[in-house]
Amino acid sequence: MRNKFIPYGHQWIDKKDINEVAKTLGTDWITQGPKIGEFEEAVCKYCRAKYGVALSSGTAALHAAYSVAGIGLGDQVITTPLTFAATANTAAHCGAELVFVDIQKETLNINPKEVEKKITKKTRAISIVDFAGHPCDFNEIKKIAEKYNLLIIEDAAHSLGSEYRGKKIGSLADMTIFSFHPVKTITTGEGGMVLTNRKDFYDKLKIFRHHGITKKPEKGDWYYEIENPAYNYRLTDFQCVLGISQLKKLNKFIKKRREIVAEYNKAFKNIKEIITPKEKNYLKSAWHIYVIQLCLDKLRVNRRKIFKALRKNNIGVQVHYMPLHLHPFYQRKFGYKKGDFPVAEEYYQRAITLPLFPKMTNEEVKRVIKTTKKIINSYRK
Ligand SMILES: Cc1ncc(COP(=O)(O)O)c(C=O)c1O
């Protein structure tokens, strides 16, 4: 019998989650209702942030964050090429020019040393991404942002529950965005949130989520005005109760993720064809994904071959990500080309994401390790 497919990421929904959603579906509120505020408060409390605005996805949260920051045509946003497209696509939708900065080899995050070199009079924001859950070196980024009066937008789609120098991700940047897609550390199906300590951003985010509508009760109960047209980016109440229920389990989920990572690291420690991901000692990663890098000079084949062999064995590996400057849109629009960001490109040639999710069984973890070792062994030089 063939082994079951092990995906690279998967939600963990239990009976309690299902009961909560079912209960809410029976109430009067199945779109945005009283549960949205509860969910926002719960995430703020967990992350120690002042304000939270839940939205229909992490992408919507990014779009809202750039928009309320006033980023538009003629502005530049600095970010990493090693991220999911939404980080940059949403800034491009606002009219911004995307200025990529290469990554650091050891953390795979934007290289703070390179950021300052790319700042111009047009730079408005630095958009950092905590790749795989490993927080960026925030203090380094903050120094630069303060020096040039720039906003920091943290795409923390990977890092809900991660900590930087003893602080939970979510209260450090001007705005932090989370995604609650099923592969993330908690899920609402689709969903996202922006956290901020700034009241002005908070007020604007709530308006942005709901078409740009501002109510004016003094002019009548029905009366509202549109200052700036926006979107329907609302999250439903039944998704919010799922989020509240999931959040209660986040620490347990992270503990499980960290145990699996420790097991992988131990198993691959002496395999010289594999570089395992590292965690800086002044932070704690929530480990959204576990990416190994292949030492291609020690192997007879390229990444594609090893990826295919793993998939053939029903190990649901992935690649996170093809650097953004290699996509046709970013080349056409901003003139990027292959060779522009050598560290990200080299990483991309070697990277494979192995399955990692809290519901993984010990047998599944062992199977991933055994299969990976066997395949690497068979292609060793
Ligand atoms: C780094 C990053 N940013 C943004 C997003 C977008 O989140 P969502 O899928 O909730 O729109 C993702 C999701 O994959 C992501 O990984």
Side-chain angles (χ1 to χ4, degrees):
M1 204 179 76
R2 257 170 88 77
N3 278 324
K4 208 175 131 221
F5 183 78
I6 309 172
Y8 85 88
H10 199 269
Q11 71 274 19
W12 188 349
I13 304 278
D14 64 17
K15 277 227 164 66
K16 266 194 182 151
D17 294 324
I18 295 168
N19 288 341
E20 287 298 317
V21 174
K23 240 186 342 192
T24 309
L25 282 172
T27 71
D28 289 336
W29 298 96
I30 59 162
T31 177
Q32 189 173 300
K35 294 297 175 188
I36 194 160
E38 260 183 57
F39 183 37
E40 288 165 345
E41 249 178 58
V43 177
C44 281
K45 193 169 166 208
Y46 182 89
C47 297
R48 300 190 186 285
K50 272 194 187 153
Y51 309 107
V53 176
L55 297 109
S56 53
S57 68
T59 306
L62 280 162
H63 189 203
Y66 291 129
S67 301
V68 304
I71 286 162
L73 209 60
D75 293 333
Q76 291 178 335
V77 171
I78 292 179
T79 194
T80 166
L82 185 61
T83 182
F84 181 58
T87 316
N89 284 356
T90 46
H93 278 307
C94 291
E97 180 187 342
L98 272 302
V99 177
F100 296 123
V101 168
D102 212 345
I103 56 167
Q104 282 173 316
K105 214 174 184 153
E106 71 277 23
T107 64
L108 307 174
N109 287 329
I110 195 165
N111 189 344
K113 289 195 178 69
E114 298 296 316
V115 169
E116 197 164 359
K117 295 181 195 160
K118 298 283 185 80
I119 291 170
T120 71
K121 283 203 176 73
K122 293 181 183 174
T123 312
R124 288 287 317 282
I126 309 170
S127 190
I128 55 175
V129 179
D130 303 324
F131 185 81
H134 190 288
C136 287
D137 200 340
F138 191 82
N139 288 353
E140 292 301 306
I141 299 289
K142 193 160 185 226
K143 262 189 244 160
I144 303 165
E146 280 178 349
K147 185 169 165 192
Y148 295 94
N149 196 23
L150 305 173
L151 286 171
I152 305 176
I153 293 173
E154 184 163 10
D155 181 342
H158 295 188
S159 58
L160 173 62
S162 295
E163 290 171 23
Y164 175 77
R165 298 191 185 277
K167 281 192 178 156
K168 281 264 173 355
I169 294 300
S171 65
L172 303 167
D174 293 288
M175 281 182 270
T176 303
I177 81 99
F178 294 124
S179 160
F180 308 125
H181 179 275
V183 294
K184 300 299 192 305
T185 48
I186 64 165
T187 190
T188 58
E190 297 286 356
M193 197 174 286
V194 183
L195 297 192
T196 181
N197 290 334
R198 280 182 54 168
K199 177 79 165 61
D200 56 335
F201 285 156
Y202 172 62
D203 291 338
K204 286 180 184 170
L205 285 163
K206 282 203 295 188
I207 293 169
F208 192 85
R209 169 175 71 189
H210 187 45
H211 303 278
I213 285 176
T214 315
K215 292 208 167 136
K216 300 259 168 123
E218 68 278 14
K219 294 195 179 179
D221 282 347
W222 72 92
Y223 191 87
Y224 62 78
E225 287 175 359
I226 307 279
E227 286 283 350
N228 292 298
Y231 299 85
N232 173 358
Y233 278 162
R234 296 188 303 265
L235 192 64
T236 65
D237 254 31
F238 55 91
Q239 288 173 290
C240 288
V241 290
L242 178 56
I244 295 165
S245 180
Q246 285 266 297
L247 190 65
K248 291 179 187 151
K249 291 171 276 206
L250 176 57
N251 288 344
K252 180 181 96 178
F253 289 167
I254 293 174
K255 186 168 174 276
K256 195 70 207 298
R257 283 178 181 274
R258 292 181 66 83
E259 282 166 11
I260 297 168
V261 167
E263 206 164 325
Y264 278 159
N265 283 345
K266 197 169 126 207
F268 300 133
K269 197 171 156 218
N270 296 321
I271 312 282
K272 61 184 190 317
E273 291 80 9
I274 291 178
I275 300 170
T276 54
K278 305 289 181 291
E279 187 183 40
K280 292 275 186 195
N281 61 10
Y282 50 82
L283 52 81
K284 196 173 156 195
S285 175
W287 289 105
H288 161 51
I289 48 175
Y290 184 87
V291 183
I292 57 166
Q293 292 181 65
L294 304 174
C295 298
L296 296 172
D297 55 330
K298 298 186 174 78
L299 291 162
R300 287 185 287 110
V301 294
N302 61 14
R303 187 265 315 272
R304 183 180 294 272
K305 197 92 187 193
I306 295 196
F307 183 97
K308 268 190 163 176
L310 282 157
R311 277 279 179 96
K312 212 171 154 203
N313 281 273
N314 273 335
I315 309 294
V317 284
Q318 256 302 351
V319 173
H320 295 91
Y321 301 92
M322 177 166 97
L324 295 187
H325 70 286
L326 300 178
H327 285 280
F329 170 77
Y330 289 97
Q331 301 201 338
R332 200 171 61 234
K333 181 87 179 166
F334 305 116
Y336 289 113
K337 58 183 185 319
K338 196 163 186 274
D340 282 347
F341 303 105
V343 186
E345 285 176 38
E346 195 194 347
Y347 157 85
Y348 172 55
Q349 295 303 322
R350 298 146 45 119
I352 295 183
T353 305
L354 297 182
L356 172 62
F357 51 96
K359 215 184 172 186
M360 265 180 105
T361 62
N362 288 341
E363 288 67 40
E364 285 173 325
V365 175
K366 284 194 173 71
R367 215 177 98 208
V368 173
I369 292 171
K370 197 172 155 203
T371 313
T372 307
K373 279 185 172 177
K374 198 176 87 196
I375 290 168
I376 293 290
N377 203 23
S378 68
Y379 289 123
R380 185 169 275 150
K381 259 185 187 165

Coordinates of all heavy atoms in Angstrom, one line a residue, residues 295-350:
C295 N 23.3 21.4 -0.4 CA 24.6 21.7 -0.8 C 24.8 21.1 -2.2 O 25.2 19.9 -2.3 CB 25.6 21.3 0.2 SG 25.4 22.0 1.7
L296 N 24.5 21.8 -3.3 CA 24.4 21.2 -4.6 C 25.8 20.7 -5.1 O 25.8 19.8 -5.9 CB 23.8 22.2 -5.6 CG 22.3 22.6 -5.3 CD1 21.9 23.7 -6.2 CD2 21.4 21.4 -5.4
D297 N 26.9 21.3 -4.6 CA 28.2 20.9 -5.0 C 28.5 19.5 -4.4 O 29.5 18.8 -4.9 CB 29.3 21.9 -4.5 CG 29.2 22.2 -3.0 OD1 28.1 22.1 -2.5 OD2 30.3 22.4 -2.4
K298 N 27.7 19.0 -3.5 CA 28.0 17.7 -2.9 C 27.0 16.6 -3.5 O 27.0 15.5 -3.0 CB 27.9 17.7 -1.4 CG 28.9 18.7 -0.7 CD 28.8 18.6 0.8 CE 29.9 19.4 1.5 NZ 29.6 20.8 1.5
L299 N 26.2 17.1 -4.4 CA 25.1 16.2 -4.9 C 25.3 16.0 -6.4 O 25.8 16.9 -7.1 CB 23.7 16.7 -4.6 CG 23.3 16.7 -3.2 CD1 22.2 17.7 -2.9 CD2 23.0 15.3 -2.7
R300 N 24.8 14.9 -7.0 CA 24.9 14.7 -8.4 C 23.8 15.2 -9.2 O 23.8 15.2 -10.4 CB 25.0 13.1 -8.6 CG 26.3 12.5 -8.2 CD 26.4 11.0 -8.6 NE 25.5 10.2 -7.7 CZ 24.4 9.6 -8.1 NH1 24.0 9.7 -9.3 NH2 23.7 8.9 -7.2
V301 N 22.8 15.7 -8.5 CA 21.6 16.2 -9.2 C 21.2 17.6 -8.6 O 21.7 18.0 -7.6 CB 20.4 15.3 -9.0 CG1 20.6 13.9 -9.7 CG2 20.0 15.1 -7.5
N302 N 20.2 18.3 -9.3 CA 19.8 19.6 -8.8 C 18.6 19.4 -7.9 O 18.1 18.3 -7.6 CB 19.5 20.5 -10.0 CG 18.4 20.0 -10.9 OD1 17.7 19.1 -10.5 ND2 18.3 20.6 -12.1
R303 N 18.1 20.6 -7.4 CA 17.0 20.6 -6.5 C 15.7 20.0 -7.1 O 15.0 19.2 -6.4 CB 16.8 22.0 -6.0 CG 15.7 22.2 -4.9 CD 14.4 22.5 -5.4 NE 14.3 23.5 -6.4 CZ 14.3 24.8 -6.2 NH1 14.3 25.3 -5.0 NH2 14.3 25.7 -7.2
R304 N 15.5 20.3 -8.3 CA 14.3 19.8 -9.0 C 14.2 18.2 -8.9 O 13.1 17.7 -8.6 CB 14.3 20.2 -10.5 CG 13.1 19.8 -11.3 CD 13.2 20.2 -12.7 NE 13.3 21.6 -12.8 CZ 12.2 22.4 -13.0 NH1 11.0 21.8 -13.0 NH2 12.3 23.7 -13.1
K305 N 15.3 17.6 -9.1 CA 15.3 16.1 -9.0 C 15.0 15.6 -7.6 O 14.2 14.6 -7.5 CB 16.7 15.6 -9.5 CG 16.8 14.2 -9.9 CD 16.6 14.1 -11.3 CE 16.6 12.6 -11.7 NZ 16.7 12.3 -13.1
I306 N 15.6 16.2 -6.6 CA 15.3 15.8 -5.2 C 13.9 16.1 -4.8 O 13.2 15.3 -4.2 CB 16.4 16.4 -4.3 CG1 17.7 15.9 -4.7 CG2 16.1 16.3 -2.8 CD1 18.9 16.0 -3.9
F307 N 13.4 17.3 -5.2 CA 12.0 17.7 -5.0 C 11.1 16.6 -5.6 O 10.2 16.1 -4.9 CB 11.8 19.0 -5.6 CG 10.4 19.6 -5.4 CD1 10.2 20.5 -4.4 CD2 9.4 19.3 -6.2 CE1 9.0 21.1 -4.2 CE2 8.1 19.8 -6.0 CZ 7.9 20.7 -5.0
K308 N 11.3 16.2 -6.8 CA 10.5 15.3 -7.5 C 10.5 13.9 -6.8 O 9.5 13.3 -6.7 CB 11.0 15.1 -9.0 CG 10.3 16.0 -9.9 CD 10.6 15.6 -11.3 CE 9.7 16.2 -12.4 NZ 10.1 15.8 -13.7
A309 N 11.7 13.5 -6.4 CA 11.8 12.2 -5.7 C 11.0 12.2 -4.4 O 10.4 11.2 -4.0 CB 13.3 11.9 -5.5
L310 N 11.1 13.3 -3.7 CA 10.3 13.4 -2.4 C 8.8 13.4 -2.7 O 8.1 12.7 -2.0 CB 10.7 14.7 -1.7 CG 12.1 14.7 -0.9 CD1 12.6 16.1 -0.7 CD2 11.9 13.9 0.4
R311 N 8.4 14.1 -3.7 CA 7.0 14.1 -4.0 C 6.5 12.7 -4.5 O 5.4 12.3 -4.1 CB 6.7 15.1 -5.2 CG 6.5 16.6 -4.7 CD 5.1 16.8 -4.2 NE 4.9 18.2 -3.8 CZ 4.4 19.2 -4.5 NH1 4.0 18.9 -5.8 NH2 4.3 20.4 -4.0
K312 N 7.4 12.0 -5.2 CA 7.0 10.7 -5.7 C 6.8 9.8 -4.5 O 6.1 8.8 -4.5 CB 8.2 10.2 -6.5 CG 7.7 9.3 -7.6 CD 8.8 8.9 -8.6 CE 8.4 7.6 -9.2 NZ 9.6 6.9 -9.7
N313 N 7.5 10.1 -3.4 CA 7.4 9.3 -2.2 C 6.3 9.9 -1.2 O 6.2 9.6 0.0 CB 8.7 9.2 -1.4 CG 9.6 8.2 -2.0 OD1 9.6 7.0 -1.7 ND2 10.4 8.7 -2.9
N314 N 5.4 10.7 -1.8 CA 4.3 11.3 -1.1 C 4.7 12.2 0.1 O 4.0 12.3 1.1 CB 3.3 10.2 -0.6 CG 2.3 9.9 -1.7 OD1 2.0 10.8 -2.6 ND2 1.7 8.7 -1.7
I315 N 5.9 12.8 0.0 CA 6.3 13.8 0.9 C 5.9 15.2 0.2 O 6.5 15.5 -0.8 CB 7.8 13.8 1.3 CG1 8.2 12.4 1.7 CG2 8.1 14.8 2.3 CD1 7.6 11.8 3.0
G316 N 5.0 15.9 0.8 CA 4.4 17.1 0.1 C 5.3 18.3 0.3 O 4.9 19.3 0.8
V317 N 6.5 18.2 -0.3 CA 7.5 19.3 -0.2 C 7.0 20.5 -1.1 O 6.1 20.4 -1.9 CB 8.9 18.9 -0.7 CG1 9.5 18.1 0.4 CG2 8.8 18.1 -2.0
Q318 N 7.5 21.7 -0.8 CA 7.2 22.9 -1.5 C 8.4 23.7 -1.7 O 9.5 23.4 -1.2 CB 6.2 23.8 -0.7 CG 4.7 23.7 -1.2 CD 4.6 24.2 -2.6 OE1 5.5 24.7 -3.3 NE2 3.4 23.9 -3.2
V319 N 8.3 24.8 -2.4 CA 9.5 25.7 -2.5 C 9.0 27.1 -2.1 O 8.0 27.6 -2.7 CB 10.1 25.8 -3.9 CG1 11.2 26.9 -4.0 CG2 10.7 24.4 -4.2
H320 N 9.5 27.7 -1.1 CA 9.2 29.1 -0.7 C 10.4 30.0 -0.8 O 11.3 29.8 0.1 CB 8.7 29.1 0.8 CG 7.4 28.3 1.0 ND1 7.4 27.0 1.3 CD2 6.1 28.8 1.0 CE1 6.1 26.6 1.5 NE2 5.3 27.7 1.2
Y321 N 10.5 30.9 -1.6 CA 9.7 31.2 -2.8 C 10.6 31.5 -3.9 O 11.8 31.8 -3.7 CB 8.9 32.5 -2.5 CG 8.0 32.5 -1.3 CD1 8.5 32.9 -0.1 CD2 6.7 32.0 -1.4 CE1 7.7 32.9 1.0 CE2 5.9 32.0 -0.3 CZ 6.4 32.5 0.9 OH 5.6 32.5 2.0
M322 N 10.1 31.5 -5.2 CA 10.9 32.1 -6.2 C 11.0 33.6 -5.9 O 9.9 34.2 -5.7 CB 10.2 31.9 -7.6 CG 11.0 32.5 -8.7 SD 10.4 32.0 -10.3 CE 9.3 33.3 -10.8
P323 N 12.2 34.1 -5.9 CA 12.3 35.6 -5.5 C 11.5 36.4 -6.5 O 11.4 36.2 -7.7 CB 13.8 35.9 -5.7 CG 14.5 34.5 -5.5 CD 13.5 33.5 -6.1
L324 N 10.9 37.5 -5.9 CA 9.9 38.3 -6.6 C 10.5 39.0 -7.8 O 9.8 39.2 -8.8 CB 9.2 39.3 -5.7 CG 8.4 38.7 -4.5 CD1 7.7 39.9 -3.8 CD2 7.4 37.7 -5.0
H325 N 11.8 39.3 -7.8 CA 12.3 40.1 -8.9 C 12.5 39.2 -10.2 O 12.8 39.7 -11.2 CB 13.7 40.7 -8.6 CG 14.8 39.7 -8.4 ND1 14.9 38.9 -7.3 CD2 15.8 39.4 -9.2 CE1 15.9 38.1 -7.4 NE2 16.5 38.4 -8.6
L326 N 12.2 37.9 -10.0 CA 12.3 37.0 -11.2 C 10.9 36.8 -11.9 O 10.8 36.2 -12.9 CB 12.8 35.6 -10.8 CG 14.2 35.6 -10.1 CD1 14.6 34.2 -9.7 CD2 15.2 36.2 -11.1
H327 N 9.9 37.4 -11.3 CA 8.5 37.3 -11.9 C 8.4 38.4 -13.0 O 8.9 39.5 -12.9 CB 7.4 37.6 -10.9 CG 7.2 36.5 -9.9 ND1 6.5 35.4 -10.3 CD2 7.7 36.3 -8.7 CE1 6.4 34.6 -9.2 NE2 7.2 35.1 -8.3
P328 N 7.7 38.0 -14.1 CA 7.6 38.9 -15.3 C 7.1 40.3 -14.9 O 7.6 41.3 -15.4 CB 6.6 38.2 -16.2 CG 6.6 36.8 -15.8 CD 7.1 36.7 -14.3
F329 N 6.1 40.4 -14.0 CA 5.6 41.7 -13.7 C 6.7 42.6 -13.1 O 6.8 43.8 -13.5 CB 4.4 41.6 -12.6 CG 4.0 42.9 -12.1 CD1 3.2 43.8 -12.8 CD2 4.4 43.3 -10.8 CE1 2.9 45.1 -12.3 CE2 4.1 44.6 -10.3 CZ 3.3 45.4 -11.1
Y330 N 7.4 42.1 -12.1 CA 8.4 43.0 -11.5 C 9.6 43.3 -12.4 O 10.2 44.4 -12.3 CB 8.9 42.3 -10.1 CG 7.8 42.4 -9.1 CD1 6.9 41.3 -9.0 CD2 7.5 43.6 -8.5 CE1 5.8 41.4 -8.1 CE2 6.4 43.7 -7.7 CZ 5.5 42.6 -7.5 OH 4.5 42.8 -6.6
Q331 N 9.9 42.4 -13.4 CA 10.9 42.7 -14.3 C 10.4 43.8 -15.3 O 11.1 44.8 -15.6 CB 11.3 41.4 -15.1 CG 11.8 40.4 -14.1 CD 12.7 39.3 -14.8 OE1 12.6 39.1 -16.0 NE2 13.4 38.6 -13.9
R332 N 9.2 43.6 -15.8 CA 8.6 44.5 -16.8 C 8.4 45.9 -16.2 O 8.8 46.9 -16.7 CB 7.3 44.0 -17.2 CG 6.7 44.5 -18.5 CD 5.5 43.7 -19.0 NE 4.4 43.8 -18.0 CZ 3.8 42.7 -17.5 NH1 4.2 41.5 -17.7 NH2 2.9 42.9 -16.6
K333 N 7.9 45.9 -15.0 CA 7.4 47.2 -14.3 C 8.6 48.0 -13.8 O 8.7 49.2 -13.9 CB 6.4 46.9 -13.2 CG 5.8 48.0 -12.5 CD 4.6 48.6 -13.2 CE 4.1 49.8 -12.4 NZ 3.1 50.6 -13.2
F334 N 9.6 47.3 -13.1 CA 10.6 48.0 -12.4 C 12.0 47.7 -12.9 O 13.0 48.2 -12.4 CB 10.5 47.7 -10.9 CG 9.2 48.0 -10.3 CD1 8.4 46.9 -9.8 CD2 8.7 49.3 -10.3 CE1 7.2 47.2 -9.2 CE2 7.4 49.5 -9.7 CZ 6.7 48.5 -9.2
G335 N 12.1 46.9 -14.0 CA 13.4 46.7 -14.7 C 14.3 45.7 -13.9 O 15.5 45.7 -14.2
Y336 N 13.8 44.9 -13.0 CA 14.6 43.9 -12.4 C 15.0 42.8 -13.3 O 14.3 42.5 -14.3 CB 13.9 43.3 -11.2 CG 13.8 44.3 -10.0 CD1 12.5 44.7 -9.7 CD2 14.9 44.7 -9.4 CE1 12.4 45.7 -8.6 CE2 14.8 45.7 -8.3 CZ 13.5 46.1 -8.0 OH 13.4 47.0 -7.0
K337 N 16.2 42.1 -13.0 CA 16.6 41.0 -13.9 C 17.3 40.0 -13.0 O 17.7 40.3 -11.9 CB 17.5 41.5 -15.0 CG 18.7 42.3 -14.5 CD 19.5 42.8 -15.6 CE 20.8 43.4 -15.1 NZ 20.7 44.2 -13.8
K338 N 17.5 38.8 -13.6 CA 18.2 37.7 -13.0 C 19.6 38.2 -12.6 O 20.2 38.9 -13.4 CB 18.3 36.5 -13.9 CG 18.7 35.2 -13.3 CD 18.3 34.1 -14.2 CE 18.6 32.8 -13.5 NZ 19.9 32.3 -13.6
G339 N 20.1 37.9 -11.4 CA 21.4 38.3 -11.0 C 21.4 39.5 -10.1 O 22.4 39.8 -9.5
D340 N 20.2 40.2 -10.0 CA 20.1 41.4 -9.2 C 20.3 41.1 -7.7 O 20.8 41.9 -6.9 CB 18.8 42.1 -9.4 CG 18.8 42.9 -10.7 OD1 19.8 43.1 -11.2 OD2 17.7 43.3 -11.1
F341 N 19.8 39.9 -7.2 CA 19.9 39.6 -5.8 C 20.5 38.2 -5.6 O 19.7 37.2 -5.4 CB 18.5 39.8 -5.2 CG 17.9 41.1 -5.4 CD1 16.9 41.3 -6.3 CD2 18.4 42.2 -4.7 CE1 16.5 42.6 -6.6 CE2 18.0 43.5 -5.0 CZ 17.0 43.7 -5.9
P342 N 21.8 38.2 -5.6 CA 22.5 36.9 -5.7 C 22.2 36.0 -4.5 O 22.1 34.7 -4.6 CB 23.9 37.2 -5.8 CG 24.1 38.7 -5.6 CD 22.7 39.3 -5.8
V343 N 22.0 36.6 -3.3 CA 21.9 35.7 -2.1 C 20.5 35.0 -2.2 O 20.4 33.8 -2.0 CB 22.0 36.5 -0.8 CG1 22.0 35.6 0.4 CG2 23.3 37.3 -0.8
A344 N 19.5 35.8 -2.5 CA 18.1 35.2 -2.7 C 18.1 34.2 -3.8 O 17.4 33.1 -3.7 CB 17.1 36.3 -2.9
E345 N 18.8 34.5 -4.9 CA 18.8 33.6 -6.0 C 19.5 32.2 -5.7 O 19.0 31.2 -6.1 CB 19.4 34.2 -7.3 CG 18.5 35.2 -7.9 CD 19.1 36.0 -9.0 OE1 19.8 35.4 -9.8 OE2 18.8 37.2 -9.1
E346 N 20.6 32.3 -5.0 CA 21.3 31.1 -4.6 C 20.5 30.3 -3.7 O 20.3 29.1 -3.9 CB 22.7 31.4 -4.0 CG 23.5 30.2 -4.0 CD 24.8 30.3 -3.1 OE1 25.1 31.4 -2.6 OE2 25.3 29.2 -2.8
Y347 N 19.8 31.0 -2.7 CA 18.9 30.3 -1.8 C 17.9 29.5 -2.6 O 17.6 28.3 -2.4 CB 18.3 31.3 -0.8 CG 17.0 30.8 -0.2 CD1 17.0 29.9 0.9 CD2 15.8 31.1 -0.9 CE1 15.8 29.4 1.4 CE2 14.6 30.6 -0.4 CZ 14.6 29.8 0.7 OH 13.4 29.3 1.2
Y348 N 17.3 30.2 -3.6 CA 16.1 29.7 -4.4 C 16.5 28.4 -5.1 O 15.7 27.5 -5.2 CB 15.6 30.7 -5.3 CG 14.6 30.2 -6.3 CD1 13.4 29.6 -5.9 CD2 14.8 30.4 -7.7 CE1 12.5 29.1 -6.8 CE2 13.9 29.9 -8.6 CZ 12.7 29.2 -8.1 OH 11.8 28.8 -9.0
Q349 N 17.8 28.3 -5.6 CA 18.2 27.1 -6.3 C 18.3 25.9 -5.4 O 18.3 24.8 -5.8 CB 19.6 27.3 -6.9 CG 19.7 28.4 -7.9 CD 18.8 28.1 -9.1 OE1 18.6 26.9 -9.5 NE2 18.2 29.1 -9.6
R350 N 18.4 26.2 -4.0 CA 18.8 25.1 -3.1 C 17.7 24.7 -2.1 O 17.8 23.7 -1.4 CB 20.0 25.5 -2.2 CG 21.2 25.8 -3.0 CD 22.1 26.9 -2.5 NE 22.3 26.9 -1.1 CZ 23.5 26.8 -0.5 NH1 24.6 26.6 -1.3 NH2 23.7 27.0 0.8

